[in-house]
Amino acid sequence: MTICRFMIDHKFLGKGWGRQSFDAMLNYFKNSLKASSVILMIEDENMIAKKLYTSYGFTFTGKINTFTGDMTTHEYYYRLDF
């Protein structure tokens, strides 16, 4: 299972809804879809997302995608095995 983007509108940040919805999503993947793992991408500068995902046990896979355009961004791949 791969999560491309997980975002919460800025109006709802800091209310715990991100963690609650992420819990529900992971439980659905694991229990209903019987997924064995989840992969997601994080921009390395996004320390809030990195802290959330690593608190669930996601670990860096070593894979980095680089995108260039107006700005160069790097997406770091993280994985959680159930």
Side-chain angles (χ1 to χ4, degrees), residues 2 6 8 14 18 20-21 35 43 45-46 48 62 66-67 78 80:
T2 301
F6 178 74
I8 300 295
Q20 288 177 15
S21 59
E43 290 185 8
E45 312 79 51
N46 191 341
I48 293 171
T66 302
F67 300 95
Y78 282 73
L80 173 67

Side-chain angles (χ1 to χ4, degrees), residues 5-70:
R5 295 280 182 271
F6 178 74
M7 299 164 61
I8 300 295
D9 189 282
H10 72 279
K11 295 179 285 193
F12 304 107
L13 294 175
K15 299 180 182 194
W17 293 7
R19 184 170 289 277
Q20 288 177 15
S21 59
F22 199 68
D23 281 341
M25 186 170 46
L26 290 180
N27 285 329
Y28 178 75
F29 290 162
K30 180 179 179 182
N31 299 319
S32 296
L33 299 181
K34 306 298 183 204
S36 59
S37 65
V38 177
I39 295 174
L40 53 76
M41 290 73 82
I42 306 171
E43 290 185 8
D44 200 45
E45 312 79 51
N46 191 341
M47 299 308 291
I48 293 171
K50 190 184 294 189
K51 182 177 176 183
L52 173 69
Y53 302 143
T54 57
S55 76
Y56 282 92
F58 281 85
T59 57
F60 179 53
T61 67
K63 181 177 179 181
I64 303 170
N65 270 354
T66 302
F67 300 95
T68 57
D70 292 341

